[in-house]
Each structure stands twice: as structure tokens, then as C-alpha cells.
Amino acid sequence: MALDSELLLPAPLTVIARTAELALTAAFWQRVAFSLARIFVGFALGSALGIAAAALAVRFRRAEEFFAPAIAVMKSVPVASITVLTLVWLRAANLAVFVVMLVATPVMYENVAAGLRAQDTRLVEMATLFHIPALRRVRLIALPALMPHLRSGLALSLSMAWKAGVAAEVIGIPTGSFGEAIYAAKVAFDTPALFAWTLAVVALSVASERALLFAIDALKPWLIAAAGSTSEQRAVQAGAMPQEGHASATANDAPLSSDQTLRLSQITWGAKDAVPTDGATDTPPEPAGRTALIDHFSLSLHQEEVACIMAPSGAGKTTLLRITAGLEHASAGCVDVPAPAAMLFQEDRLAEQASLLTNVRAPLAAGSAAWAEAPHMLAALGLADRMFAPAHTCSGGERRRCALARALLAPHATLLLDEPFTGLDEATHVLAARLVAEHEQGRIVLVATHDPADLHLLGARAISLQH
């Protein structure tokens, strides 16, 4: 206003008035529809291409190497150069679609790849062991890690899409586009109109970004199997809410054979330094040799047997359970385990955003006996009032009991428990141990524990790693 030159710098009120004037014309909305359609088509194509390429790159290293040069080119070549080159191949009317696609693809590729790599590998391992169906794995594990990256990638690529799309239109000047209007205003030295068209582009960019983020946030609870599903609660209530302290001992869908034996023969795993301990020294001594962590360990368990591996920390109890489950491979020896096997890991390994009930049901077939039994199992472990709570809001003891319920109900002929009662008070410890003993009748159970009381509570025999 102090400059008093509409040609050089129009006043804000002048720009707002011109924008309102343009918005009242049919031509304005025709241009909105023209540019909006092409920018969104290019954005959708670029997003889909980036997501698909990222999924392949994370899964296959050769694919990542293959895509790297193309992604580098898309990121570094100026929009003006892409636009001019593209005019050789495409009509001006479709120019924005291609340019926007090239701009959106690398943004989505890098964000989605980062999100996929952010998955908790322990949850992935758990899902593999329990044979959780692919769709549930996506909703419970992949999408929760991916969503923040996907959300930011979509917002960033959409804002860049508007910049690149309108820039391409200014260069290509397709009839009926925003770019044509901006170019015409510049040629006519109509600076207020130039600012007005620019303001309209900014407003549409912001509005479309907000609408996209709103849609993502609204869909998120359904996409990632978040806690709080009213349908899940209604389904449980329809079958009568379970009372604490009551659970069936037979809800397991794994067939039992009359002749099942777990055999670990001459298992040897890993190695650690054996160093001399005599004498004081200021520097660490040189290794005197190498010795196996687990050396020629053998064990045979028959159906209906429960065994507790009693050994100090670091002796290899967890490693032995992982070898038994097939998650680690022994350096030597043979493993014969009745399948399928279920495992309670040393960590709880729960999907944090999902309810305790959803976590327990993750490896179960919908409609199976175990699926119907899940609420009763949680109630028997004292979690009747917490089964619909997100896992991240639960205490350590509640999480541990949820992980135990999941292992008990998952189809299995062999159950592996790694420090199953950690974090439980004495009364809950006794309750959980008795439930395990009752529920696992007829199955093989191998437990790693420090607590001698577990031998009595589970009716187990003690196993030494030196056995």
C-alpha cells in the first residue's frame, strides 16, 4: 500500500477481491476441475508406483539396486527440464499427469521404504512362528509402523504435486488450465490476477492436503486393527461376558497324535571366549580358547511331559528354546519337535495399538473353538476388565498374561515357555501356572525358568543344560 503500485505489488485486499471475483465465474471452476483432475491422477499414479517399488526394494535387495538410479534421477532433475522433455512425447493437456507422477514417486518410495524397515523384527518373528495370516500381519505389524511415514509422505508429495503440476502447465500452457491463466496474467501485466490465481492454487493445495490427512486419520483405526472396536465388544457380550477364574482346558485346535516325542540330540550351539581368570591385569587377557555355549545337549520328552530347564542367566536357556522352535539353527545335532509349536517369548511381543483380545486371537482361525475361548482365557487370567484395552496401556503383568494366553490358545502340539511368569505377583503366578498345567494336558511343555517353585506348580521334571 505504501508502494502504491498495483503493477509491482498489489495490496492484499486487492488480491482477495480479485480472487473472489474470479471464483464467481464458471471459467474459474472449469480450470479448477481441469488442473485438479490431472494433478490428482499424477499424484495417485506416483504414490502407487512409489509404494509398490518400496515394497519390492525392502523385500529384495536386487530390486533396491535396480530402482536406485531411477529414483536418483527423479529426485535431482529439475521440473522445468522434465516438462520441456515431456512436451516432446505428450500432449500439453496430459503434461501435468506425467510430471506430477515423477515428482511424487521418489517421495513415496523413500517414506514407505523407511516405514517398512521400521517394523519390529521381534513381532515379525512372532508372526512367522504362529503362522498369523498375511492380512492380520499387515494390520497388526506392518501398517502401525508404516502409517506415520505413509501419512507424511502423502502430505509432502501432494503439496509438491501442486507445485510441479502448475509449473508444468505454465510451461506447456494447456488450454483451460491454471497454468494458462497464470501465464496469461503475466503476459498482460495483470499482477493482481497473477497473485489471485496463485492464491487459489495455494488454497486448493492446502485444502486437498487437509482433506487427505483427515481421510487417513479417519480410516486409521480400521486399517491397523486398533483397540476400541465396538463390534468386537458386542460380539463378546452377545456370548455373555466371561467371569474371572473360568476357562476351558481343551480349546486348542491342534490335533494330538498318540505317539509324539520331542527329541534334541547332541545339540551344540555357538561359542564364547574362554579366558584365564587367575591374576590381575590392567588390560583384558587374550582369549585362551573357544568353547560352545550349549555343548552336546540331549533331551527326550514324550507326550504329556512337562520339563523345566533350570540354569543361571546366560547359560543358553532362551537359545535352546529358539533352536527347538526353529528360530535358531544349532551348530550340530538333530531337532525333532512335534508340530505345530507355540512359544511364549522372553519379551511379550504384543501389537501395541491392538487390544489384548485382538493380540490373543491373532494366530487363531476366526470362528474356531479357540477363538471363542479367548475371552474366557483372558478372564481366567484375571483380565476380564482389560481385554479391550490397548496393549500399550497395560501393566507388565497384564501384558505377560496376555502373551501367555496367546501361546496357550494358538494351535500347538508343543508349547515352549521362556520365563513365563516374570512380573507376576505370587497369587497370579500360582494361578497362571495351574492354568498352564490344566490346559496343556496331553501336550509337551518345555519351560525355561529360574524359579524352583515352577517345578511343583507345573508338575515338571528339572532339566540341566549339562544333562
PDB file of all heavy atoms in Angstrom, residues 100-138:
ATOM      1  N   VAL A 100       3.819 -34.728 -12.476  1.00  0.00           N
ATOM      2  CA  VAL A 100       3.464 -34.951 -11.076  1.00  0.00           C
ATOM      3  C   VAL A 100       3.804 -36.378 -10.650  1.00  0.00           C
ATOM      4  O   VAL A 100       4.297 -36.610  -9.532  1.00  0.00           O
ATOM      5  CB  VAL A 100       1.965 -34.666 -10.853  1.00  0.00           C
ATOM      6  CG1 VAL A 100       1.514 -35.158  -9.488  1.00  0.00           C
ATOM      7  CG2 VAL A 100       1.694 -33.177 -10.985  1.00  0.00           C
ATOM      8  N   MET A 101       3.577 -37.334 -11.507  1.00  0.00           N
ATOM      9  CA  MET A 101       3.913 -38.720 -11.185  1.00  0.00           C
ATOM     10  C   MET A 101       5.402 -38.861 -10.890  1.00  0.00           C
ATOM     11  O   MET A 101       5.803 -39.521  -9.922  1.00  0.00           O
ATOM     12  CB  MET A 101       3.518 -39.643 -12.342  1.00  0.00           C
ATOM     13  CG  MET A 101       3.778 -41.114 -12.068  1.00  0.00           C
ATOM     14  SD  MET A 101       3.449 -42.163 -13.501  1.00  0.00           S
ATOM     15  CE  MET A 101       4.829 -41.693 -14.558  1.00  0.00           C
ATOM     16  N   LEU A 102       6.246 -38.228 -11.703  1.00  0.00           N
ATOM     17  CA  LEU A 102       7.693 -38.314 -11.492  1.00  0.00           C
ATOM     18  C   LEU A 102       8.124 -37.615 -10.207  1.00  0.00           C
ATOM     19  O   LEU A 102       9.102 -38.011  -9.577  1.00  0.00           O
ATOM     20  CB  LEU A 102       8.436 -37.710 -12.688  1.00  0.00           C
ATOM     21  CG  LEU A 102       8.302 -38.456 -14.018  1.00  0.00           C
ATOM     22  CD1 LEU A 102       9.197 -37.800 -15.073  1.00  0.00           C
ATOM     23  CD2 LEU A 102       8.695 -39.918 -13.857  1.00  0.00           C
ATOM     24  N   VAL A 103       7.408 -36.578  -9.816  1.00  0.00           N
ATOM     25  CA  VAL A 103       7.743 -35.872  -8.583  1.00  0.00           C
ATOM     26  C   VAL A 103       7.283 -36.658  -7.355  1.00  0.00           C
ATOM     27  O   VAL A 103       7.989 -36.728  -6.338  1.00  0.00           O
ATOM     28  CB  VAL A 103       7.116 -34.460  -8.585  1.00  0.00           C
ATOM     29  CG1 VAL A 103       7.232 -33.816  -7.211  1.00  0.00           C
ATOM     30  CG2 VAL A 103       7.799 -33.584  -9.635  1.00  0.00           C
ATOM     31  N   ALA A 104       6.100 -37.279  -7.415  1.00  0.00           N
ATOM     32  CA  ALA A 104       5.536 -37.978  -6.257  1.00  0.00           C
ATOM     33  C   ALA A 104       6.204 -39.327  -6.004  1.00  0.00           C
ATOM     34  O   ALA A 104       6.316 -39.751  -4.848  1.00  0.00           O
ATOM     35  CB  ALA A 104       4.031 -38.187  -6.456  1.00  0.00           C
ATOM     36  N   THR A 105       6.656 -39.985  -7.046  1.00  0.00           N
ATOM     37  CA  THR A 105       7.194 -41.342  -6.890  1.00  0.00           C
ATOM     38  C   THR A 105       8.362 -41.428  -5.907  1.00  0.00           C
ATOM     39  O   THR A 105       8.333 -42.254  -4.984  1.00  0.00           O
ATOM     40  CB  THR A 105       7.595 -41.920  -8.257  1.00  0.00           C
ATOM     41  OG1 THR A 105       6.438 -42.031  -9.083  1.00  0.00           O
ATOM     42  CG2 THR A 105       8.233 -43.294  -8.104  1.00  0.00           C
ATOM     43  N   PRO A 106       9.435 -40.619  -6.042  1.00  0.00           N
ATOM     44  CA  PRO A 106      10.554 -40.774  -5.102  1.00  0.00           C
ATOM     45  C   PRO A 106      10.198 -40.407  -3.666  1.00  0.00           C
ATOM     46  O   PRO A 106      10.745 -40.991  -2.726  1.00  0.00           O
ATOM     47  CB  PRO A 106      11.627 -39.834  -5.673  1.00  0.00           C
ATOM     48  CG  PRO A 106      10.899 -38.866  -6.518  1.00  0.00           C
ATOM     49  CD  PRO A 106       9.728 -39.607  -7.073  1.00  0.00           C
ATOM     50  N   VAL A 107       9.294 -39.445  -3.493  1.00  0.00           N
ATOM     51  CA  VAL A 107       8.882 -39.074  -2.134  1.00  0.00           C
ATOM     52  C   VAL A 107       8.206 -40.258  -1.452  1.00  0.00           C
ATOM     53  O   VAL A 107       8.518 -40.627  -0.308  1.00  0.00           O
ATOM     54  CB  VAL A 107       7.940 -37.854  -2.159  1.00  0.00           C
ATOM     55  CG1 VAL A 107       7.432 -37.542  -0.757  1.00  0.00           C
ATOM     56  CG2 VAL A 107       8.652 -36.651  -2.739  1.00  0.00           C
ATOM     57  N   MET A 108       7.262 -40.890  -2.152  1.00  0.00           N
ATOM     58  CA  MET A 108       6.562 -42.033  -1.577  1.00  0.00           C
ATOM     59  C   MET A 108       7.493 -43.228  -1.422  1.00  0.00           C
ATOM     60  O   MET A 108       7.417 -43.969  -0.432  1.00  0.00           O
ATOM     61  CB  MET A 108       5.365 -42.414  -2.452  1.00  0.00           C
ATOM     62  CG  MET A 108       4.263 -41.370  -2.474  1.00  0.00           C
ATOM     63  SD  MET A 108       3.682 -40.962  -0.813  1.00  0.00           S
ATOM     64  CE  MET A 108       3.153 -42.556  -0.229  1.00  0.00           C
ATOM     65  N   TYR A 109       8.382 -43.414  -2.365  1.00  0.00           N
ATOM     66  CA  TYR A 109       9.326 -44.542  -2.309  1.00  0.00           C
ATOM     67  C   TYR A 109      10.164 -44.479  -1.035  1.00  0.00           C
ATOM     68  O   TYR A 109      10.272 -45.463  -0.287  1.00  0.00           O
ATOM     69  CB  TYR A 109      10.218 -44.508  -3.550  1.00  0.00           C
ATOM     70  CG  TYR A 109      11.314 -45.547  -3.561  1.00  0.00           C
ATOM     71  CD1 TYR A 109      11.078 -46.824  -4.055  1.00  0.00           C
ATOM     72  CD2 TYR A 109      12.590 -45.249  -3.087  1.00  0.00           C
ATOM     73  CE1 TYR A 109      12.083 -47.782  -4.075  1.00  0.00           C
ATOM     74  CE2 TYR A 109      13.600 -46.201  -3.101  1.00  0.00           C
ATOM     75  CZ  TYR A 109      13.341 -47.460  -3.592  1.00  0.00           C
ATOM     76  OH  TYR A 109      14.331 -48.403  -3.601  1.00  0.00           O
ATOM     77  N   GLU A 110      10.745 -43.329  -0.754  1.00  0.00           N
ATOM     78  CA  GLU A 110      11.637 -43.213   0.400  1.00  0.00           C
ATOM     79  C   GLU A 110      10.867 -43.293   1.714  1.00  0.00           C
ATOM     80  O   GLU A 110      11.336 -43.911   2.676  1.00  0.00           O
ATOM     81  CB  GLU A 110      12.428 -41.911   0.306  1.00  0.00           C
ATOM     82  CG  GLU A 110      13.412 -41.904  -0.859  1.00  0.00           C
ATOM     83  CD  GLU A 110      14.322 -40.698  -0.833  1.00  0.00           C
ATOM     84  OE1 GLU A 110      13.994 -39.711  -0.150  1.00  0.00           O
ATOM     85  OE2 GLU A 110      15.384 -40.752  -1.497  1.00  0.00           O
ATOM     86  N   ASN A 111       9.697 -42.680   1.788  1.00  0.00           N
ATOM     87  CA  ASN A 111       8.923 -42.721   3.025  1.00  0.00           C
ATOM     88  C   ASN A 111       8.385 -44.120   3.314  1.00  0.00           C
ATOM     89  O   ASN A 111       8.446 -44.592   4.454  1.00  0.00           O
ATOM     90  CB  ASN A 111       7.772 -41.718   2.953  1.00  0.00           C
ATOM     91  CG  ASN A 111       8.195 -40.319   3.307  1.00  0.00           C
ATOM     92  OD1 ASN A 111       8.181 -39.912   4.465  1.00  0.00           O
ATOM     93  ND2 ASN A 111       8.608 -39.554   2.304  1.00  0.00           N
ATOM     94  N   VAL A 112       7.869 -44.775   2.305  1.00  0.00           N
ATOM     95  CA  VAL A 112       7.316 -46.118   2.514  1.00  0.00           C
ATOM     96  C   VAL A 112       8.426 -47.112   2.834  1.00  0.00           C
ATOM     97  O   VAL A 112       8.269 -47.976   3.710  1.00  0.00           O
ATOM     98  CB  VAL A 112       6.510 -46.567   1.278  1.00  0.00           C
ATOM     99  CG1 VAL A 112       6.118 -48.041   1.386  1.00  0.00           C
ATOM    100  CG2 VAL A 112       5.263 -45.708   1.131  1.00  0.00           C
ATOM    101  N   ALA A 113       9.561 -46.998   2.168  1.00  0.00           N
ATOM    102  CA  ALA A 113      10.682 -47.891   2.463  1.00  0.00           C
ATOM    103  C   ALA A 113      11.143 -47.719   3.912  1.00  0.00           C
ATOM    104  O   ALA A 113      11.410 -48.700   4.617  1.00  0.00           O
ATOM    105  CB  ALA A 113      11.840 -47.624   1.505  1.00  0.00           C
ATOM    106  N   ALA A 114      11.201 -46.470   4.374  1.00  0.00           N
ATOM    107  CA  ALA A 114      11.592 -46.219   5.767  1.00  0.00           C
ATOM    108  C   ALA A 114      10.567 -46.811   6.729  1.00  0.00           C
ATOM    109  O   ALA A 114      10.931 -47.389   7.764  1.00  0.00           O
ATOM    110  CB  ALA A 114      11.736 -44.720   6.008  1.00  0.00           C
ATOM    111  N   GLY A 115       9.276 -46.697   6.401  1.00  0.00           N
ATOM    112  CA  GLY A 115       8.240 -47.247   7.259  1.00  0.00           C
ATOM    113  C   GLY A 115       8.275 -48.765   7.326  1.00  0.00           C
ATOM    114  O   GLY A 115       8.124 -49.356   8.393  1.00  0.00           O
ATOM    115  N   LEU A 116       8.489 -49.413   6.185  1.00  0.00           N
ATOM    116  CA  LEU A 116       8.556 -50.870   6.164  1.00  0.00           C
ATOM    117  C   LEU A 116       9.762 -51.387   6.932  1.00  0.00           C
ATOM    118  O   LEU A 116       9.705 -52.430   7.590  1.00  0.00           O
ATOM    119  CB  LEU A 116       8.589 -51.380   4.720  1.00  0.00           C
ATOM    120  CG  LEU A 116       7.305 -51.175   3.914  1.00  0.00           C
ATOM    121  CD1 LEU A 116       7.497 -51.588   2.469  1.00  0.00           C
ATOM    122  CD2 LEU A 116       6.155 -51.950   4.543  1.00  0.00           C
ATOM    123  N   ARG A 117      10.850 -50.645   6.867  1.00  0.00           N
ATOM    124  CA  ARG A 117      12.052 -51.063   7.610  1.00  0.00           C
ATOM    125  C   ARG A 117      11.928 -50.780   9.107  1.00  0.00           C
ATOM    126  O   ARG A 117      12.730 -51.275   9.896  1.00  0.00           O
ATOM    127  CB  ARG A 117      13.289 -50.353   7.048  1.00  0.00           C
ATOM    128  CG  ARG A 117      13.656 -50.810   5.638  1.00  0.00           C
ATOM    129  CD  ARG A 117      15.001 -50.274   5.197  1.00  0.00           C
ATOM    130  NE  ARG A 117      15.393 -50.819   3.911  1.00  0.00           N
ATOM    131  CZ  ARG A 117      15.325 -50.166   2.762  1.00  0.00           C
ATOM    132  NH1 ARG A 117      14.889 -48.905   2.744  1.00  0.00           N
ATOM    133  NH2 ARG A 117      15.700 -50.731   1.636  1.00  0.00           N
ATOM    134  N   ALA A 118      10.931 -49.976   9.483  1.00  0.00           N
ATOM    135  CA  ALA A 118      10.734 -49.647  10.900  1.00  0.00           C
ATOM    136  C   ALA A 118       9.921 -50.709  11.631  1.00  0.00           C
ATOM    137  O   ALA A 118       9.686 -50.578  12.827  1.00  0.00           O
ATOM    138  CB  ALA A 118      10.035 -48.293  11.022  1.00  0.00           C
ATOM    139  N   GLN A 119       9.482 -51.752  10.933  1.00  0.00           N
ATOM    140  CA  GLN A 119       8.726 -52.812  11.599  1.00  0.00           C
ATOM    141  C   GLN A 119       9.567 -53.458  12.698  1.00  0.00           C
ATOM    142  O   GLN A 119      10.780 -53.626  12.560  1.00  0.00           O
ATOM    143  CB  GLN A 119       8.313 -53.893  10.599  1.00  0.00           C
ATOM    144  CG  GLN A 119       7.294 -53.456   9.576  1.00  0.00           C
ATOM    145  CD  GLN A 119       6.916 -54.605   8.666  1.00  0.00           C
ATOM    146  OE1 GLN A 119       6.127 -55.466   9.027  1.00  0.00           O
ATOM    147  NE2 GLN A 119       7.476 -54.630   7.473  1.00  0.00           N
ATOM    148  N   ASP A 120       8.909 -53.832  13.781  1.00  0.00           N
ATOM    149  CA  ASP A 120       9.580 -54.513  14.885  1.00  0.00           C
ATOM    150  C   ASP A 120       9.895 -55.945  14.448  1.00  0.00           C
ATOM    151  O   ASP A 120       8.989 -56.757  14.230  1.00  0.00           O
ATOM    152  CB  ASP A 120       8.660 -54.523  16.111  1.00  0.00           C
ATOM    153  CG  ASP A 120       9.362 -55.020  17.368  1.00  0.00           C
ATOM    154  OD1 ASP A 120      10.318 -55.804  17.243  1.00  0.00           O
ATOM    155  OD2 ASP A 120       8.934 -54.642  18.466  1.00  0.00           O
ATOM    156  N   THR A 121      11.183 -56.259  14.308  1.00  0.00           N
ATOM    157  CA  THR A 121      11.573 -57.586  13.824  1.00  0.00           C
ATOM    158  C   THR A 121      11.154 -58.689  14.788  1.00  0.00           C
ATOM    159  O   THR A 121      10.920 -59.825  14.370  1.00  0.00           O
ATOM    160  CB  THR A 121      13.093 -57.653  13.612  1.00  0.00           C
ATOM    161  OG1 THR A 121      13.764 -57.271  14.823  1.00  0.00           O
ATOM    162  CG2 THR A 121      13.514 -56.696  12.492  1.00  0.00           C
ATOM    163  N   ARG A 122      11.011 -58.348  16.086  1.00  0.00           N
ATOM    164  CA  ARG A 122      10.568 -59.364  17.041  1.00  0.00           C
ATOM    165  C   ARG A 122       9.108 -59.733  16.802  1.00  0.00           C
ATOM    166  O   ARG A 122       8.724 -60.905  16.931  1.00  0.00           O
ATOM    167  CB  ARG A 122      10.771 -58.859  18.463  1.00  0.00           C
ATOM    168  CG  ARG A 122      12.231 -58.625  18.839  1.00  0.00           C
ATOM    169  CD  ARG A 122      12.364 -58.029  20.221  1.00  0.00           C
ATOM    170  NE  ARG A 122      11.643 -56.770  20.333  1.00  0.00           N
ATOM    171  CZ  ARG A 122      11.504 -56.083  21.457  1.00  0.00           C
ATOM    172  NH1 ARG A 122      12.038 -56.529  22.573  1.00  0.00           N
ATOM    173  NH2 ARG A 122      10.833 -54.942  21.483  1.00  0.00           N
ATOM    174  N   LEU A 123       8.280 -58.720  16.437  1.00  0.00           N
ATOM    175  CA  LEU A 123       6.892 -59.019  16.112  1.00  0.00           C
ATOM    176  C   LEU A 123       6.793 -59.827  14.813  1.00  0.00           C
ATOM    177  O   LEU A 123       5.950 -60.713  14.684  1.00  0.00           O
ATOM    178  CB  LEU A 123       6.087 -57.729  15.987  1.00  0.00           C
ATOM    179  CG  LEU A 123       5.775 -56.979  17.288  1.00  0.00           C
ATOM    180  CD1 LEU A 123       4.949 -55.733  16.984  1.00  0.00           C
ATOM    181  CD2 LEU A 123       5.038 -57.863  18.268  1.00  0.00           C
ATOM    182  N   VAL A 124       7.650 -59.508  13.856  1.00  0.00           N
ATOM    183  CA  VAL A 124       7.659 -60.257  12.594  1.00  0.00           C
ATOM    184  C   VAL A 124       8.013 -61.715  12.867  1.00  0.00           C
ATOM    185  O   VAL A 124       7.402 -62.645  12.318  1.00  0.00           O
ATOM    186  CB  VAL A 124       8.654 -59.624  11.607  1.00  0.00           C
ATOM    187  CG1 VAL A 124       8.793 -60.496  10.364  1.00  0.00           C
ATOM    188  CG2 VAL A 124       8.195 -58.220  11.223  1.00  0.00           C
ATOM    189  N   GLU A 125       8.997 -61.937  13.738  1.00  0.00           N
ATOM    190  CA  GLU A 125       9.395 -63.302  14.083  1.00  0.00           C
ATOM    191  C   GLU A 125       8.261 -64.037  14.786  1.00  0.00           C
ATOM    192  O   GLU A 125       7.992 -65.213  14.515  1.00  0.00           O
ATOM    193  CB  GLU A 125      10.632 -63.256  14.978  1.00  0.00           C
ATOM    194  CG  GLU A 125      11.198 -64.632  15.318  1.00  0.00           C
ATOM    195  CD  GLU A 125      12.430 -64.531  16.186  1.00  0.00           C
ATOM    196  OE1 GLU A 125      12.298 -64.062  17.349  1.00  0.00           O
ATOM    197  OE2 GLU A 125      13.524 -64.918  15.728  1.00  0.00           O
ATOM    198  N   MET A 126       7.585 -63.350  15.712  1.00  0.00           N
ATOM    199  CA  MET A 126       6.442 -63.948  16.401  1.00  0.00           C
ATOM    200  C   MET A 126       5.357 -64.342  15.411  1.00  0.00           C
ATOM    201  O   MET A 126       4.797 -65.444  15.472  1.00  0.00           O
ATOM    202  CB  MET A 126       5.895 -62.953  17.434  1.00  0.00           C
ATOM    203  CG  MET A 126       4.661 -63.401  18.194  1.00  0.00           C
ATOM    204  SD  MET A 126       3.084 -63.075  17.313  1.00  0.00           S
ATOM    205  CE  MET A 126       3.100 -61.288  17.240  1.00  0.00           C
ATOM    206  N   ALA A 127       5.049 -63.449  14.479  1.00  0.00           N
ATOM    207  CA  ALA A 127       4.001 -63.725  13.496  1.00  0.00           C
ATOM    208  C   ALA A 127       4.362 -64.910  12.614  1.00  0.00           C
ATOM    209  O   ALA A 127       3.494 -65.711  12.243  1.00  0.00           O
ATOM    210  CB  ALA A 127       3.763 -62.486  12.638  1.00  0.00           C
ATOM    211  N   THR A 128       5.635 -65.044  12.291  1.00  0.00           N
ATOM    212  CA  THR A 128       6.087 -66.177  11.479  1.00  0.00           C
ATOM    213  C   THR A 128       5.935 -67.484  12.240  1.00  0.00           C
ATOM    214  O   THR A 128       5.451 -68.481  11.697  1.00  0.00           O
ATOM    215  CB  THR A 128       7.555 -65.973  11.058  1.00  0.00           C
ATOM    216  OG1 THR A 128       7.672 -64.752  10.321  1.00  0.00           O
ATOM    217  CG2 THR A 128       8.037 -67.131  10.201  1.00  0.00           C
ATOM    218  N   LEU A 129       6.333 -67.490  13.503  1.00  0.00           N
ATOM    219  CA  LEU A 129       6.231 -68.708  14.304  1.00  0.00           C
ATOM    220  C   LEU A 129       4.779 -69.142  14.474  1.00  0.00           C
ATOM    221  O   LEU A 129       4.452 -70.333  14.373  1.00  0.00           O
ATOM    222  CB  LEU A 129       6.867 -68.480  15.678  1.00  0.00           C
ATOM    223  CG  LEU A 129       6.758 -69.655  16.656  1.00  0.00           C
ATOM    224  CD1 LEU A 129       7.606 -70.828  16.179  1.00  0.00           C
ATOM    225  CD2 LEU A 129       7.173 -69.245  18.060  1.00  0.00           C
ATOM    226  N   PHE A 130       3.884 -68.182  14.708  1.00  0.00           N
ATOM    227  CA  PHE A 130       2.474 -68.502  14.940  1.00  0.00           C
ATOM    228  C   PHE A 130       1.675 -68.636  13.645  1.00  0.00           C
ATOM    229  O   PHE A 130       0.471 -68.883  13.694  1.00  0.00           O
ATOM    230  CB  PHE A 130       1.828 -67.430  15.816  1.00  0.00           C
ATOM    231  CG  PHE A 130       2.163 -67.542  17.281  1.00  0.00           C
ATOM    232  CD1 PHE A 130       2.947 -66.599  17.908  1.00  0.00           C
ATOM    233  CD2 PHE A 130       1.677 -68.593  18.036  1.00  0.00           C
ATOM    234  CE1 PHE A 130       3.252 -66.695  19.256  1.00  0.00           C
ATOM    235  CE2 PHE A 130       1.964 -68.704  19.389  1.00  0.00           C
ATOM    236  CZ  PHE A 130       2.757 -67.757  20.001  1.00  0.00           C
ATOM    237  N   HIS A 131       2.316 -68.424  12.505  1.00  0.00           N
ATOM    238  CA  HIS A 131       1.629 -68.528  11.208  1.00  0.00           C
ATOM    239  C   HIS A 131       0.408 -67.612  11.156  1.00  0.00           C
ATOM    240  O   HIS A 131      -0.681 -68.007  10.717  1.00  0.00           O
ATOM    241  CB  HIS A 131       1.208 -69.976  10.920  1.00  0.00           C
ATOM    242  CG  HIS A 131       2.351 -70.941  10.932  1.00  0.00           C
ATOM    243  ND1 HIS A 131       3.307 -70.984   9.942  1.00  0.00           N
ATOM    244  CD2 HIS A 131       2.716 -71.891  11.842  1.00  0.00           C
ATOM    245  CE1 HIS A 131       4.197 -71.929  10.216  1.00  0.00           C
ATOM    246  NE2 HIS A 131       3.865 -72.491  11.365  1.00  0.00           N
ATOM    247  N   ILE A 132       0.590 -66.377  11.605  1.00  0.00           N
ATOM    248  CA  ILE A 132      -0.501 -65.403  11.566  1.00  0.00           C
ATOM    249  C   ILE A 132      -0.816 -65.075  10.109  1.00  0.00           C
ATOM    250  O   ILE A 132       0.098 -64.821   9.316  1.00  0.00           O
ATOM    251  CB  ILE A 132      -0.105 -64.131  12.343  1.00  0.00           C
ATOM    252  CG1 ILE A 132       0.043 -64.473  13.834  1.00  0.00           C
ATOM    253  CG2 ILE A 132      -1.134 -63.022  12.164  1.00  0.00           C
ATOM    254  CD1 ILE A 132       0.484 -63.313  14.696  1.00  0.00           C
ATOM    255  N   PRO A 133      -2.089 -65.067   9.708  1.00  0.00           N
ATOM    256  CA  PRO A 133      -2.446 -64.791   8.315  1.00  0.00           C
ATOM    257  C   PRO A 133      -1.901 -63.451   7.821  1.00  0.00           C
ATOM    258  O   PRO A 133      -1.718 -62.510   8.607  1.00  0.00           O
ATOM    259  CB  PRO A 133      -3.980 -64.799   8.336  1.00  0.00           C
ATOM    260  CG  PRO A 133      -4.339 -65.630   9.517  1.00  0.00           C
ATOM    261  CD  PRO A 133      -3.268 -65.381  10.539  1.00  0.00           C
ATOM    262  N   ALA A 134      -1.664 -63.382   6.509  1.00  0.00           N
ATOM    263  CA  ALA A 134      -0.999 -62.214   5.922  1.00  0.00           C
ATOM    264  C   ALA A 134      -1.736 -60.908   6.202  1.00  0.00           C
ATOM    265  O   ALA A 134      -1.125 -59.895   6.555  1.00  0.00           O
ATOM    266  CB  ALA A 134      -0.832 -62.421   4.418  1.00  0.00           C
ATOM    267  N   LEU A 135      -3.069 -60.910   6.048  1.00  0.00           N
ATOM    268  CA  LEU A 135      -3.821 -59.672   6.256  1.00  0.00           C
ATOM    269  C   LEU A 135      -3.709 -59.198   7.701  1.00  0.00           C
ATOM    270  O   LEU A 135      -3.550 -58.004   7.959  1.00  0.00           O
ATOM    271  CB  LEU A 135      -5.292 -59.884   5.881  1.00  0.00           C
ATOM    272  CG  LEU A 135      -6.194 -58.642   6.020  1.00  0.00           C
ATOM    273  CD1 LEU A 135      -5.658 -57.497   5.176  1.00  0.00           C
ATOM    274  CD2 LEU A 135      -7.629 -58.977   5.628  1.00  0.00           C
ATOM    275  N   ARG A 136      -3.773 -60.131   8.648  1.00  0.00           N
ATOM    276  CA  ARG A 136      -3.616 -59.731  10.052  1.00  0.00           C
ATOM    277  C   ARG A 136      -2.214 -59.222  10.325  1.00  0.00           C
ATOM    278  O   ARG A 136      -2.019 -58.288  11.108  1.00  0.00           O
ATOM    279  CB  ARG A 136      -3.919 -60.923  10.974  1.00  0.00           C
ATOM    280  CG  ARG A 136      -5.391 -61.211  11.120  1.00  0.00           C
ATOM    281  CD  ARG A 136      -5.624 -62.265  12.196  1.00  0.00           C
ATOM    282  NE  ARG A 136      -6.862 -62.983  11.932  1.00  0.00           N
ATOM    283  CZ  ARG A 136      -7.164 -64.150  12.446  1.00  0.00           C
ATOM    284  NH1 ARG A 136      -6.304 -64.765  13.241  1.00  0.00           N
ATOM    285  NH2 ARG A 136      -8.311 -64.732  12.177  1.00  0.00           N
ATOM    286  N   ARG A 137      -1.220 -59.837   9.709  1.00  0.00           N
ATOM    287  CA  ARG A 137       0.159 -59.357   9.896  1.00  0.00           C
ATOM    288  C   ARG A 137       0.294 -57.919   9.411  1.00  0.00           C
ATOM    289  O   ARG A 137       0.962 -57.100  10.047  1.00  0.00           O
ATOM    290  CB  ARG A 137       1.132 -60.259   9.131  1.00  0.00           C
ATOM    291  CG  ARG A 137       1.252 -61.646   9.698  1.00  0.00           C
ATOM    292  CD  ARG A 137       2.221 -62.506   8.939  1.00  0.00           C
ATOM    293  NE  ARG A 137       3.581 -61.978   9.012  1.00  0.00           N
ATOM    294  CZ  ARG A 137       4.658 -62.709   8.764  1.00  0.00           C
ATOM    295  NH1 ARG A 137       4.541 -63.978   8.432  1.00  0.00           N
ATOM    296  NH2 ARG A 137       5.843 -62.176   8.843  1.00  0.00           N
ATOM    297  N   VAL A 138      -0.348 -57.621   8.289  1.00  0.00           N
ATOM    298  CA  VAL A 138      -0.296 -56.256   7.767  1.00  0.00           C
ATOM    299  C   VAL A 138      -0.950 -55.292   8.747  1.00  0.00           C
ATOM    300  O   VAL A 138      -0.396 -54.233   9.067  1.00  0.00           O
ATOM    301  CB  VAL A 138      -0.980 -56.188   6.384  1.00  0.00           C
ATOM    302  CG1 VAL A 138      -1.155 -54.746   5.938  1.00  0.00           C
ATOM    303  CG2 VAL A 138      -0.149 -56.951   5.354  1.00  0.00           C
TER     304      VAL A 138
END
